[in-house]
Amino acid sequence: MPNQQPLKIAVLVSGNGSNLQVLIDQMLADALPIKLVGVISNKADAYALERVRLTNAQHHSAIQTAIIDRDNNGKKYSRVGFEQRALAVLGEWQPDLVVLAGFMRILTPLFIDGVSQTLNVPMINLHPSLLPAYKGVNTHQRVLQTGERFHGCSVHMVTSELDAGRVIAQAVTAITPHENAEQLQQRVHGLEYQLLPLVVNLFARRLVVWQSGTLINQSGLPMPLRLWLD
């Protein structure tokens, strides 16, 4: 849409940040109409932070970072302490969308309600399964153990129930014979790198919007979108 402001995004990470890198790359290439305003990590050694540092140095970007790992006395933040500080940071950044991308900490209603009600912005999560199946962890191994024919990943709204929010879109792939969990994980990562930008673009183009705590689908497309992405 002409003259529309880029969608301001904040991302929460815990580790490598490969999905964060995809968003950075597409932002820099103007492939997504977004502005990455900041990255919050609950791990001081998360490589995702280095990705931001390199981006800022090489492209004169101004992506902010907040490390909420240990306090000034070296004590690890409690869950409540982390969430209170993270909400305060998000309040300063004023994002339009919060993205959990490889964020490995279960959030409580304190944070989830703070984002959706106090800040009044949507929060999405990238999960490595075809929800509602295989919530939680170790999804690739569990899928193989139960003999599923298909696997993939989902982007869903974050609610207080783990991996139970409304699914916006899914990427599906067929499981190949003799595939192990590590191989399957790598293939699903490839799907994630396509699916997350697709969903972010729906928000950025205002094809899905957040109004008074409700996700409104204005795209005319079915939701969840189910896509074969290889």
Side-chain angles (χ1 to χ4, degrees), residues 109-124:
L110 169 69
F111 187 82
I112 295 167
D113 293 345
V115 172
S116 66
Q117 297 176 18
T118 305
L119 299 179
N120 193 29
V121 296
M123 179 163 53
I124 60 175

Side-chain angles (χ1 to χ4, degrees), residues 24 35 37 53 58 67 80 104 109 115 160 165 170 177 192:
I24 290 173
K35 179 182 180 181
V37 295
R53 188 193 69 78
Q58 295 171 4
I67 302 169
V80 170
M104 303 304 293
V115 172
S160 55
Q170 296 178 317
E192 293 174 356

Side-chain angles (χ1 to χ4, degrees), residues 208-229:
V208 293
V209 296
W210 182 254
Q211 292 182 355
S212 302
T214 301
L215 187 71
I216 308 296
N217 179 12
Q218 301 184 142
S219 69
L221 300 170
M223 189 174 291
L225 288 171
R226 232 173 184 224
L227 306 168
W228 287 87
L229 298 175

Side-chain angles (χ1 to χ4, degrees), residues 137-180:
V137 298
N138 301 322
T139 59
H140 312 297
Q141 186 63 47
R142 290 158 59 201
V143 163
L144 292 175
Q145 288 173 343
T146 51
E148 298 282 1
R149 294 178 56 203
F150 303 102
H151 189 37
C153 52
S154 306
V155 175
H156 67 95
M157 301 299 300
V158 177
T159 64
S160 55
E161 184 179 350
L162 182 66
D163 298 330
R166 183 178 181 183
V167 177
I168 301 171
Q170 296 178 317
V172 187
T173 188
I175 296 174
T176 62
H178 313 299
E179 193 168 25
N180 62 37

Side-chain angles (χ1 to χ4, degrees), residues 41-61:
S41 177
N42 67 318
K43 300 285 186 182
D45 60 352
Y47 186 71
L49 298 169
E50 177 67 6
R51 295 180 185 275
V52 175
R53 188 193 69 78
L54 290 171
T55 300
N56 287 341
Q58 295 171 4
H59 299 277
H60 307 290
S61 303

